[in-house]
Amino acid sequence: MSAAADAPARGRALTAEVPRWRVTLGLLARTPTAAAAALVLLTVVLVALFDDQLAPAGPNDVDVQARLQGPSAEHPFGTDDLGRDVLSRVLLGAQVSLRVGLVAVGISLVVGTLVGTLAGFYGRWVDSLLMRLMDVLFAFPALLLAIAVLAVLGPGATNAMIAIGITYTPVFARVSRAAVLGVREQVYVRASRSVGASDARLLLRHVLPNAAPPILVQTSVSLAFAVLAEAALSFAGLGIQPPAPSWGGMLASGRGFLEQAWWMAVFPGLAIFLLVLSFNLLGDGLRDVLDPQQRSAMEAGRRRIRSRGKAEAAADARGAA
Amino acid sequence: MSAQTPQPAPQPAREGARQPVLSVRDLRVRMGTPRGVAEIVNGLDYDVHPGETVAVVGESGSGKSVSVMALMGLLPRTATVTGTAEFEGRDLVGMSDAQLRTVRGNGISMVFQDPMTSLNPVLTVGRQITEGLLAHGDLPKRAATERAAELLGEVGFPDPRGALDRYPHQLSGGMRQRVMIAIALAGRPRLLIADEATTALDVTVQAQILELVARLQAEHGTGVIWITHDLGVVAGIADRVLVMYGGRCVEDGVVDDVFDAPAHPYTRGLLGALPARLGPELDAEEPPELVTIPGTPPLPTDLPPGCVFWPRCPVRSDPRCEREQPPLLEVSRPQVGGRPAGLPHRAATWCSEGRP
Amino acid sequence: MSGYLLRRAGQSAVVLLGVAIAVFALMHLVPGDPVRLALGTRFDQAAYDALRERAGLDEPLPVQFLGWIGSAVTGDLGVSFRSGEPVTMLIVERLPATVSLAAASILVALLIAVPLGTLSALRPRSFVDSAGTVVSQVGISVPEFWMGILLILLFAGVLDWFPPGGYVPLSEDPVGWLRSLVLPALTTGLVSGSVLTRFTRSSVLEALGADHVRTARAKGLPARAVLRWHVLRNALLPLVTVTGVQLAYLLSGVVVVEIVFAWPGLGLLALQAVQDRDYPVLQGAVLLFAFVFLLLNLVVDLLYSRLDPRISA
């Protein structure tokens, strides 16, 4: 009982002395899994930035003589059906994966947060209209929505970003709306309003900073979903088009050579898995540090099981797509 | 109760030769926490006799609830309980879970604070009463249902049979607490522990529940431990009172003795927060709200070396207060015909005021 | 209860209408003439005219929409641009494969999640708990199609226990059906099971701390009875909801897994429709998925209100 009693006091004391983001980082660094995940992510980012220096061969250095060779000193991840170095293609695929993931989540984040904030802030018909629209998007299975959008826009990296971005917009709208609703009625917002602050100012100064933690957590988790979705779309032939190196696309071509060359499918898949795992672990760590209540609500869905809990469970389910 | 000066057990003079139903000696509870070892209960001694009501009062965090949960073996595994607690001659401390199970709900029953959460929301009332009956005796199911209806009638349900099929959320708070009492009475316990059993209820319902327990107690001769922070309740129903602070008993005795001449500054502080003299009827109109003593109770991981109350004490008349734990000593003893009779009034304080 | 459900059904109907409009609009946003695109190199004026006529593409858009949605309500989703066959028939053909896979997957998921999640919650920070946490985190992060490939490499390649892909109808060969089902069901089941394990663990943990569990223990109930009636009974109720969501997702076609195992389900149908620019099929499939998703959510709500007495009040 003592620990429970003074833990909040300790947290308060800390935040009073140092900025919140530093507290967050400090706490995060002390979570081993989150720290490890951050390290992996940093590595992936570095690989993506310096891939042409790091990769031993070009992405499309075809060498038919050396096709379908197993892992060796020269080709640690083996070669594919055209004799291209799998390691190089995996390294070069990092950038594509990250870029599609970041841009897609960026789209969801901006559009979704805007929609959710407006809905939560203005309530009434604005809320109903916007959130019903989001419900419509939410009623599609995630990957199928992306596929349908790509059916219209045509395959390709840019369109994949848009398709994935649209798919994950409702999640951000719901999370930010809930956060805004929670903050809106708090005393200081009402106080500011009575002083005559404009809506925009209120949103920027008071509501958004307080809605930030759950949105940040959602961003990390969505990055994991987005990377998975891009890989799945590319695997299905709708995302990044060959011969550009993408992990999903490499897996798709590797599927045709499972019996001869397991390495063609195993290594790109491992790369996807590690990246996604890192985003998920970082998201979990952030959730623990920033918003423990949201975690329990997401996982257990106690009070909100009937509405929000289910939406989030659905979000989890969609992430698996 | 101080560790260094164990007191002889108070003799149950009033009850004559009758054995206490529960006899607690030097009960201690420690719990490991991330911030060190929490000393939650630090040496309690008391007896409960058949038909008697002992009130344990104190602020939240004083260890009063933990001390009774320890008797029932309901604390988490991280807790260590030492001392003895003899229930009908068997020591509850150190009993295996299987042995404790034969006592729980059978010899000793408990009614908890919040009737909203203490009942399982997805099982019917009848089921929640009968499962206890079925666990303890080889009663046929039909008979258990009969008995459950009987119990519900006893605790004041106008339609006991209909109530069997109700779910907790279909009942009011007071009715739910009656269900809790019916569950507690199911095993015909010799000891009933009520842990803040009326705190969550509004005052009229509270008075009804107190009356109900008093009536059932008189009928069955049950011993009762009533945990509360409401001194009005204590005055209304208890025979004896035990004031807890920082996991220790700082004062105990017959209710009238303690209330008329409180010896410990903490008890005086508690009573000072009360309006005039009270009875159950009076506090039904004006529930006394605790506590107006400034400051907060000590953390069980960080108890003061001297008197536990010292950091908040308005008196601090003795230099030993800060350094040395005061032993629980007799303040007075009721006299009958020039000879001491009944239970002593004891307090753990260095304060000379209030002592005879 | 009925009032609540009626309101929920009404909301779902509105969302479904929105979905129908969205699907319809999406397909008509496609630049170019969909029929010409669909026919591609097989272009022939007579077939072209017939298709346009049957699809009603010469009518104004609102009329087309009303016609489409009107027929959809009666189960007529139009004809495939590609094969000329009714879309409804194409979908119905795929149903057994999809339903088999979804049902088997959810079974695998629950068989993993309920014991593992419960044990983890009962012994927090034990070996089982740590293992469960790692397994579920891995399961949530692993790309399904990669997992499928790994399973094929191991169980179809190295061990040669199960076929690497393909679907055998139950009516033709029950044993073959079961064998063909194992690997795909394991793939999707492990992923869904990971989500459900996490959920079960936290749900049971929360139930363990509930006040009524203390009451049950204070009654002197045996530990097993406390666990079964006061912990699991309460903790697994919300699992119904999450399982429903997972099932909806599984029924909506796990496209990539279907590709990996060459599983002729609805997901693969939709994907082929995209590749063939066969818009009536895609429209029909997507509409069906959204319908199934919303319907399952409703069913779950109904079921939940039956199981949890608090809601039927």
Side-chain angles (χ1 to χ4, degrees), chain A residues 144 255 284 299 302 306, chain C residues 4 198-199 206 252 260:
Chain A
L144 271 152
R255 195 178 85 84
D284 279 3
E299 290 194 345
R302 174 165 51 181
R306 303 201 51 76
Chain C
Y4 165 75
R198 278 189 145 196
F199 186 86
E206 192 175 292
S252 307
V260 170

Side-chain angles (χ1 to χ4, degrees), chain A residues 305-306 310, chain C residues 4-5 8 237-248 292-308 311:
Chain A
I305 184 63
R306 303 201 51 76
K310 193 156 70 186
Chain C
Y4 165 75
L5 280 176
R8 286 276 294 105
L237 268 181
L239 192 65
V240 171
T241 306
V242 186
T243 305
V245 173
Q246 285 288 325
L247 188 62
V292 167
F293 185 82
L294 291 168
L295 186 70
L296 261 170
N297 271 301
L298 263 181
V299 170
V300 162
D301 276 0
L302 178 69
L303 199 63
Y304 196 89
S305 69
R306 283 294 178 81
L307 293 174
D308 190 336
I311 289 162

Side-chain angles (χ1 to χ4, degrees), chain A residues 118 121-122 193 196-207:
Chain A
L118 291 178
F121 194 76
Y122 290 106
R193 181 153 238 178
S198 74
D199 284 356
R201 191 185 141 83
L202 269 179
L203 277 174
L204 285 176
R205 286 291 303 274
H206 295 294
V207 178

Side-chain angles (χ1 to χ4, degrees), chain A residues 112-270:
Chain A
T113 307
L114 190 69
V115 168
T117 308
L118 291 178
F121 194 76
Y122 290 106
R124 295 166 182 276
W125 68 269
V126 180
D127 187 23
S128 303
L129 179 73
L130 291 175
M131 292 324 282
R132 284 302 84 74
L133 272 176
M134 291 297 115
D135 284 350
V136 168
L137 286 183
F138 218 73
F140 291 95
L143 196 59
L144 271 152
L145 179 58
I147 288 177
V149 173
L150 284 175
V152 175
L153 299 178
T158 314
N159 291 343
M161 293 175 194
I162 297 171
I164 298 169
I166 292 175
T167 307
Y168 291 107
T169 296
V171 185
F172 279 94
R174 288 189 181 193
V175 170
S176 56
R177 175 176 175 270
V180 169
L181 279 182
V183 175
R184 192 177 65 165
E185 291 311 314
Q186 278 171 24
V187 184
Y188 58 89
V189 173
R190 268 183 272 141
S192 306
R193 181 153 238 178
S194 61
V195 171
S198 74
D199 284 356
R201 191 185 141 83
L202 269 179
L203 277 174
L204 285 176
R205 286 291 303 274
H206 295 294
V207 178
L208 274 184
N210 282 285
I215 294 174
L216 193 62
V217 172
Q218 187 59 47
T219 303
S220 185
V221 175
S222 298
L223 277 169
F225 293 170
V227 168
L228 271 179
E230 181 271 318
L233 289 174
S234 298
F235 181 78
L238 297 171
I240 319 297
Q241 296 301 300
S246 76
W247 295 339
M250 291 168 76
L251 262 170
S253 57
R255 195 178 85 84
F257 297 92
L258 279 187
E259 281 169 40
Q260 302 101 304
W262 55 267
W263 51 89
M264 278 180 69
V266 168
F267 291 112
L270 193 63

Side-chain angles (χ1 to χ4, degrees), chain A residues 20-112:
Chain A
R20 187 172 174 171
W21 64 269
R22 289 192 54 182
V23 178
T24 304
L25 276 186
L27 286 173
L28 211 54
R30 267 182 274 151
T31 316
T33 48
L39 210 64
V40 173
L41 289 177
L42 193 68
T43 313
V44 177
V45 170
L46 287 176
V47 165
L49 287 177
F50 302 105
D51 52 1
D52 36 351
Q53 278 102 307
L54 284 167
N60 291 307
D61 291 356
V62 175
D63 178 3
V64 185
Q65 299 293 302
R67 65 195 292 269
L68 298 177
Q69 284 184 358
S72 64
E74 195 188 350
H75 301 289
F77 288 2
T79 61
D80 68 6
D81 53 319
L82 297 173
R84 296 174 294 190
D85 181 43
V86 174
L87 172 65
S88 301
R89 287 178 64 80
V90 166
L91 290 176
L92 293 159
Q95 201 193 68
V96 182
S97 249
L98 271 186
R99 185 160 13 99
V100 174
L102 286 172
V103 174
V105 172
I107 293 172
S108 316
L109 176 72
V110 172
V111 179

Side-chain angles (χ1 to χ4, degrees), chain B residues 226-246:
Chain B
W226 198 283
I227 310 258
T228 182
H229 60 262
D230 186 341
L231 290 172
V233 170
V234 177
I237 61 160
D239 299 303
R240 282 191 304 119
V241 60
L242 191 153
V243 182
M244 273 187 85
Y245 188 82

Side-chain angles (χ1 to χ4, degrees), chain B residues 11-52:
Chain B
Q11 288 307 306
R14 193 186 56 158
E15 296 293 332
R18 283 180 78 183
Q19 287 296 307
V21 61
L22 177 76
S23 189
V24 175
R25 292 293 172 270
D26 198 30
L27 185 76
R28 288 164 192 277
V29 181
R30 305 259 174 293
M31 217 181 276
T33 74
R35 306 218 60 211
V37 176
E39 302 174 307
I40 298 167
V41 178
N42 302 293
L44 285 184
D45 296 71
Y46 61 92
D47 288 341
V48 182
H49 292 90
E52 184 188 35

